[in-house]
Amino acid sequence: MCNLHSEKLKLFCLEDEQPVCLVCRDSQKHVNHTFRPIREVVTSYKEELNTALKSLQEKLQRNKNTKREFVVTVQHIESQAEHTECQIKQQFEKPHQFLRDEEEATITALREEEEQKKQMMKEKLEEMNRHISALSHTIKDTEEMMKASGVSDLLVSLVSLLLIQSHCGSDPECSSRVQISSQPDPQTPSGALIHVPRYLGNLPFRVWKKMQDIVQNTPVILDPNTANPCLAVSNDLTSVKWRSYRHLPKNPQRFDWELCVLGSEGFNSGTHCWDVEVKESKYWRVGVTTASNQRKGWDCFSTDVWSVQYDDEAELSQAFGYVKRRLDRVRVKLDCDEGTVSFYDPATNTHIYTFTTTFTETLFPLICGDYFFLLSEDLSDQ
């Protein structure tokens, strides 16, 4: 019913898009407006509403699906954080153990030098005791001689002392007394103290230099967030092997069809080089691709990919370089400034293929296959 005239709403004003009564139609407000029977308009609007409702229902279902994916993503983030924390502790345990071993070895060397120096000083103390004893006896004999009452007694005592000294060669104690009494006073030997700089001098730097022997630097490390769900990236992010499919968050970075994974760091300038061991892989593709390249579906390699792959049947083409024989390793040399990507067999330094182009985007190392790992050698100067 119309709120103004208490008449039934029978018409629909197309200009104002509202129902009106017959009185309202004739009012000044709706002059020259177009009207339709409300039943007719309702039928038309129902169709539009049904279409809109269906669209909203589909959108609701998509949102629910997305919500489930978000829940899975949150769970995956928690799992990633827990696993990564565990790996961090394990990774730090190796240098921690190395530092503990170095600390123990350094302290052990210090204790050994301490014992050596103490033993040397003990021997010097024993020698000093003998020296003091001999001097004490000599002083006592001299004092007794000086107590002689007369010149004749003094001469007799001196003669007796000289006779004793002349015959003391067969008496070790007597001989020692005579020799020690004639020797210069003992002195503290040079180098008797602990060589402190040997243990504390540049200690952190020396330990750091040693630590370089137990750590490895891999020119390229992998980004597990890009790995196909059928690929398992190792804990140190340097190798990949095939595994059964598992549900992972459908993040935009991840390959969902191709068995691929990208390096974690992109390059847009300079020269870079890395080796990939592929001898255990039945199928492999190694190269680079752009950051914006398609990662979903089967169209990942249609454009912006520069790579070589192992395939017995294929021939070299403009899109890909095909390798007809099985290799153990593949070396990739990327020169962003010159616009070249070259591939080699490092075992024989044989050139496989070179792409020449102009790079306009950041490039990421691309590796595909069912088993491979990146080598840790520093190849930046090759």
Side-chain angles (χ1 to χ4, degrees), residues 32-61:
N32 296 326
H33 285 188
T34 303
F35 300 91
R36 290 288 183 272
I38 197 166
R39 291 181 181 274
E40 176 185 331
V41 175
V42 166
T43 302
S44 174
Y45 269 82
K46 277 187 178 180
E47 294 177 358
E48 294 183 16
L49 286 174
N50 284 332
T51 302
L53 179 61
K54 184 177 179 181
S55 176
L56 290 174
Q57 289 171 339
E58 292 174 351
K59 186 176 183 65
L60 175 62
Q61 187 60 44

Side-chain angles (χ1 to χ4, degrees), residues 191-367:
L193 302 180
I194 296 293
H195 191 349
V196 177
R198 179 182 300 163
Y199 306 101
L200 296 181
N202 288 326
L203 179 59
F205 177 77
R206 290 187 288 111
V207 173
W208 173 75
K209 291 286 287 184
K210 286 185 177 181
M211 287 187 69
Q212 295 185 44
D213 296 332
I214 68 168
V215 296
Q216 296 177 336
N217 177 38
T218 305
V220 172
I221 59 174
L222 303 174
D223 182 0
N225 291 336
T226 66
N228 182 284
C230 289
L231 294 179
V233 180
S234 62
N235 290 330
D236 62 0
L237 308 181
T238 61
S239 66
V240 163
K241 64 180 180 180
W242 184 88
R243 68 175 176 198
S244 58
Y245 179 89
R246 69 170 182 169
H247 185 71
L248 294 173
K250 296 180 180 179
N251 52 307
Q253 300 94 335
R254 191 179 306 281
F255 289 91
D256 59 354
W257 285 99
E258 296 286 353
L259 293 177
C260 297
V261 62
L262 297 183
S264 62
E265 180 183 359
F267 307 120
N268 52 30
S269 63
T271 302
H272 309 274
C273 184
W274 62 92
D275 278 9
V276 185
E277 185 168 287
V278 294
K279 63 181 179 181
E280 300 296 333
S281 181
K282 298 178 182 179
Y283 155 79
W284 54 263
R285 185 192 299 268
V286 175
V288 295
T289 187
T290 58
S292 62
N293 200 6
Q294 173 68 26
R295 303 182 191 181
K296 306 299 182 182
W298 295 102
D299 298 329
C300 300
F301 302 125
S302 58
T303 59
D304 295 335
V305 175
W306 300 268
S307 65
V308 294
Q309 73 178 73
Y310 176 71
D311 190 327
D312 288 335
E313 302 298 330
E315 298 290 341
L316 287 175
S317 70
Q318 185 177 0
F320 304 109
Y322 291 94
V323 181
K324 287 190 173 183
R325 61 186 180 87
R326 181 177 291 275
L327 301 178
D328 289 342
R329 299 179 181 180
V330 179
R331 176 165 297 166
V332 184
K333 289 186 177 181
L334 170 64
D335 191 329
C336 298
D337 303 324
E338 294 294 330
T340 60
V341 184
S342 300
F343 302 89
Y344 298 86
D345 176 4
T348 59
N349 201 30
T350 302
H351 175 256
I352 299 174
Y353 198 73
T354 295
F355 295 94
T356 302
T357 184
T358 300
F359 301 123
T360 58
E361 292 188 52
T362 299
L363 300 174
F364 283 83
L366 169 72
I367 305 175

Side-chain angles (χ1 to χ4, degrees), residues 5-191:
H5 308 104
S6 300
E7 294 284 339
K8 191 173 182 179
L9 300 173
K10 294 182 178 182
L11 301 175
F12 188 84
C13 178
L14 297 182
E15 282 75 12
D16 293 336
E17 294 187 342
Q18 65 178 10
V20 297
C21 68
L22 295 176
V23 178
C24 291
R25 180 192 61 177
D26 298 329
S27 65
Q28 187 67 26
K29 180 180 178 182
H30 294 282
V31 174
N32 296 326
H33 285 188
T34 303
F35 300 91
R36 290 288 183 272
I38 197 166
R39 291 181 181 274
E40 176 185 331
V41 175
V42 166
T43 302
S44 174
Y45 269 82
K46 277 187 178 180
E47 294 177 358
E48 294 183 16
L49 286 174
N50 284 332
T51 302
L53 179 61
K54 184 177 179 181
S55 176
L56 290 174
Q57 289 171 339
E58 292 174 351
K59 186 176 183 65
L60 175 62
Q61 187 60 44
R62 290 197 302 270
N63 286 343
K64 288 182 178 180
N65 294 338
T66 303
K67 178 183 176 180
R68 284 195 290 268
E69 287 296 329
F70 284 0
V71 171
V72 172
T73 301
V74 170
Q75 294 172 346
H76 186 69
I77 291 172
E78 293 174 350
S79 176
Q80 271 190 314
E82 182 179 355
H83 180 73
T84 304
E85 180 180 351
C86 180
Q87 293 305 313
I88 289 173
K89 291 180 179 179
Q90 290 184 9
Q91 292 284 344
F92 271 100
E93 179 56 29
K94 187 174 183 179
H96 286 169
Q97 185 60 48
F98 173 83
L99 291 174
R100 288 192 292 266
D101 293 342
E102 280 296 307
E103 178 185 7
E104 182 178 353
T106 304
I107 293 176
T108 298
L110 172 63
R111 296 305 180 202
E112 290 176 353
E113 182 178 357
E114 178 190 15
E115 290 300 319
Q116 293 175 358
K117 297 296 176 67
K118 286 168 62 176
Q119 182 61 33
M120 180 182 66
M121 292 308 301
K122 287 179 181 179
E123 294 174 357
K124 292 294 182 180
L125 282 172
E126 293 176 357
E127 181 182 351
M128 177 64 72
N129 289 334
R130 292 193 299 271
H131 187 82
I132 292 173
S133 177
L135 287 176
S136 298
H137 283 85
T138 302
I139 291 172
K140 181 178 179 181
D141 292 342
T142 303
E143 288 176 345
E144 290 178 353
M145 180 184 66
M146 294 295 292
K147 292 178 181 178
S149 56
V151 175
S152 58
D153 294 331
L154 179 60
L155 291 175
V156 172
S157 298
L158 287 172
V159 171
S160 299
L161 181 60
L162 291 173
L163 288 174
I164 292 173
Q165 292 178 352
S166 63
H167 291 86
C168 70
S170 59
D171 185 353
E173 182 179 355
C174 176
S175 176
S176 175
R177 286 169 54 194
V178 173
Q179 292 176 1
I180 291 176
S181 63
S182 62
Q183 290 177 353
D185 294 339
Q187 302 292 329
T188 301
S190 177

